[in-house]
Amino acid sequence: MAISPGKRATPRRRRRRHAPMSEINVTPFVDVMLVLLIIFMVAAPLLTVGVPVQLPQTAASAVAAEPEEPLALSIPADGRLFLMDEAISDDALITRLGEMTAQRNSRKIFLRADGSVPHARVMQVMGALNAAGYNAIVLVTDTGGPRMGG
């Protein structure tokens, strides 16, 4: 067999056109995760209760996260009541809480009261919450307040 100059004798092999990949391409997965992270970082501050309340500052530590969205009752400086974002009258509070109790697993409620609301008003609302069956009342405050006892 004669070999012409410039050409090599190579054995003929069949090349596969679509060889299976032995690596996983994670770039699209990482891209999607980064987009979701950015979306949640932007949306998380918007998920808080929307009633503006100037909370008093204390040295208390944060409460552990709840498995379901916490039920929040807010008392702004004018003394009105807001159940989540919905304004509610004093007379309808116990009835509305009774309706919501059937839909919830937790009997815990977060009470957000403005620092300028009289103590008597806060105690009146806490008594109504107790009458509605909510015995675990969490008083929401801002951190960074003065410590007692040094």
Side-chain angles (χ1 to χ4, degrees):
M1 178 168 162
I3 300 176
S4 62
K7 290 189 177 180
R8 292 186 201 163
T10 56
R12 297 187 123 210
R13 287 191 284 168
R14 287 186 149 174
R15 290 187 176 175
R16 290 185 175 172
R17 289 190 176 179
H18 301 290
M21 284 185 66
S22 61
E23 299 174 359
I24 297 174
N25 186 4
V26 296
T27 304
F29 177 71
V30 171
D31 290 344
V32 169
M33 291 282 96
L34 289 175
V35 168
L36 288 174
L37 177 66
I38 291 169
I39 289 171
F40 285 119
M41 286 173 57
V42 170
L46 303 175
L47 298 176
T48 59
V49 178
V51 180
V53 174
Q54 182 65 37
L55 296 172
Q57 293 185 341
T58 64
S61 60
V63 176
E66 293 290 315
E68 63 183 351
E69 182 184 2
L71 186 61
L73 181 69
S74 301
I75 310 172
D78 59 7
R80 295 180 299 147
L81 297 177
F82 287 87
L83 188 57
M84 302 303 277
D85 289 335
E86 173 189 341
I88 191 165
S89 68
D90 290 4
D91 298 332
L93 177 64
I94 294 176
T95 307
R96 182 73 176 114
L97 284 172
E99 294 169 359
M100 296 182 85
T101 301
Q103 303 167 1
R104 302 184 59 81
N105 293 331
S106 175
R107 304 291 288 204
K108 185 184 290 188
I109 188 164
F110 289 77
L111 181 59
R112 301 174 64 240
D114 193 286
S116 63
V117 174
H119 183 69
R121 175 67 173 153
V122 175
M123 292 299 108
Q124 177 189 24
V125 171
M126 288 180 70
L129 294 175
N130 194 326
Y134 286 89
N135 297 325
I137 302 170
V138 178
L139 299 175
V140 180
T141 61
D142 278 338
T143 58
R147 294 189 178 276
M148 296 181 71

